[in-house]
Amino acid sequence: MKKYNVLFVVAHPDDESLWIGGLLNFLNDRDEVEPYVLCVTGRNHPERYKEFESVMNLVGIKNWHVADEDIPERGGIPLSELG
């Protein structure tokens, strides 16, 4: 049987739970699919990193990584500051 690698990219820890948690759980139970999850922020945020790791362990995802970028204290800039 052919195995399909499926990569999910999320911006922040907890996005995997909010947007694709059920799908990850479903795909991880399938023999023909190998899910991978990449989170592009949060490695340096101990609490959020630990929460992400806990979700990956709970769902049983073996292939995951959290990138080194910090989570900003507050996101974006006010629209009024855009030129």
Side-chain angles (χ1 to χ4, degrees):
M1 172 187 337
K2 182 172 180 163
K3 195 149 194 148
Y4 296 92
N5 295 324
V6 179
L7 172 64
F8 295 94
V9 180
V10 295
H12 314 101
D14 81 2
D15 288 355
E16 78 292 341
S17 298
L18 293 170
W19 308 117
I20 57 170
L23 181 59
L24 282 174
N25 190 45
F26 172 77
L27 291 177
N28 198 51
D29 288 340
R30 309 286 304 196
D31 290 334
E32 67 272 72
V33 177
E34 187 70 38
Y36 292 77
V37 181
L38 170 63
C39 181
V40 297
T41 62
R43 184 172 197 80
N44 298 323
H45 193 288
E47 184 178 324
R48 300 284 301 272
Y49 179 86
K50 195 70 170 160
E51 290 171 351
F52 185 89
E53 180 180 41
S54 294
V55 169
M56 295 294 102
N57 290 334
L58 178 68
V59 176
I61 303 295
K62 296 175 284 190
N63 304 301
W64 59 273
H65 178 76
V66 179
D68 293 315
E69 293 299 316
D70 289 329
I71 298 172
E73 291 298 318
R74 77 181 254 268
I77 60 171
L79 292 176
S80 60
E81 291 182 17
L82 294 176

